[in-house]
Amino acid sequence: MTTKVPPRGTPTAQRRALQAVLLDMDGTLVDTEGFWWDVEVEVFAALGHTLDETWRHIVVGGPMTRSAGFLIEATGADITLAELTTLLNDGFEERIGRSLPLMPGAARLLAELYEYEIPTALVSASHRRIIDRVLASLGPQHFALTVAGDEVSRTKPYPDPYLLAAAGLGAEPARCAVIEDTATGVEAAEAAGCRVVAVPSVAPIAPTDGRTVVSSLEEVDLAFLRGLMTEMR
């Protein structure tokens, strides 16, 4: 059966129109999830501890307070959360200073959203100092708003960052398309009431009602994101 899409400008189409796109950063736009793990491994090795590879799935995608706190508890390392946070941010910043690869399709998608003046926000659990460094490569002009993990009282997996971004862009959460690469980010976006496109980077993510899973950003363009809205009842 063929579904007829209402012409743009009709009341039904306007109710279903895409109002904003909210994008995660690490693992979604930039290929840096592996960078974080490498830095964590190096820092804990210097402290005399070896990280278990299975922990990688636990620490990916969440706020640094959660991931760093988990690693301190799991290893018993003699270091405070504040000290570890500084070491991890320093190590990551040094690493992206050497290389910052974009995920396939990221540059093309950002350019398309910018060309068609789609309100776009960067929503990351990374700290502001890291986001600002990455923005230099992504192009700050591509984002009307950025939300950092250390600027909200509750970051992912809570919905707060996405609710803040939607409000800042004057958009309804249900009219926002979110692109995420981890289960933690997906949970935050769905809790905010957004439509979610998952592009798994480290661990698999299953499709569900209201969630679309793709293998790469190369499968995502503006028409694809607008189509998510027309699927809503």
Side-chain angles (χ1 to χ4, degrees):
M1 184 177 74
T2 301
T3 301
K4 293 184 178 180
V5 178
R8 293 183 66 187
T10 67
T12 300
Q14 289 172 355
R15 288 196 300 270
R16 294 178 176 178
L18 175 69
Q19 292 182 348
V21 177
L22 316 178
L23 296 142
D24 174 55
M25 187 177 76
D26 294 300
T28 299
L29 291 176
V30 289
D31 192 7
T32 50
E33 290 291 12
F35 285 13
W36 281 113
W37 179 249
D38 290 345
V39 170
E40 287 160 350
V41 168
E42 291 173 2
V43 168
F44 276 90
L47 295 171
H49 299 276
T50 300
L51 300 188
D52 190 317
E53 182 69 25
T54 61
W55 296 343
R56 182 174 182 176
H57 296 272
I58 299 174
V59 301
V60 69
M64 185 172 292
T65 51
R66 187 193 72 180
S67 57
F70 168 82
L71 293 174
I72 291 173
E73 183 176 353
T75 61
D78 183 18
I79 189 171
T80 68
L81 183 60
E83 291 170 338
L84 180 56
T85 296
T86 297
L87 289 176
L88 293 176
N89 275 325
D90 287 348
F92 184 80
E93 197 166 355
E94 189 277 331
R95 191 167 291 255
I96 63 175
R98 288 184 270 140
S99 173
L100 184 58
L102 270 61
M103 298 298 287
R108 187 264 315 151
L109 177 59
L110 289 175
E112 183 179 19
L113 295 175
Y114 182 72
E115 178 183 358
Y116 287 92
E117 299 182 344
I118 304 300
T120 302
L122 186 66
V123 184
S124 177
S126 290
H127 289 187
R128 171 55 59 186
R129 60 179 284 196
I130 299 299
I131 287 180
D132 286 346
R133 284 293 301 273
V134 174
L135 277 174
S137 294
L138 290 176
Q141 73 277 9
H142 291 124
F143 304 98
L145 177 70
T146 62
V147 178
D150 58 340
E151 295 175 342
V152 289
S153 57
R154 300 191 310 175
T155 188
K156 306 172 188 180
Y158 293 100
D160 305 35
Y162 282 113
L163 291 174
L164 179 64
L169 295 177
E172 302 171 40
R175 302 268 79 80
C176 295
V178 170
I179 305 179
E180 273 280 359
D181 72 303
T182 67
T184 299
V186 167
E187 181 180 347
E190 290 179 342
C194 303
R195 297 286 290 187
V196 178
V197 179
V199 192
S201 62
V202 175
I205 299 172
T208 64
D209 185 32
R211 178 196 308 167
T212 302
V213 179
V214 298
S215 61
S216 167
L217 284 182
E218 293 183 316
E219 301 177 43
V220 180
D221 58 14
L222 182 53
F224 178 94
L225 296 174
R226 281 177 169 156
L228 298 178
M229 302 296 117
T230 63
E231 294 170 7
M232 297 180 68
R233 292 181 175 86

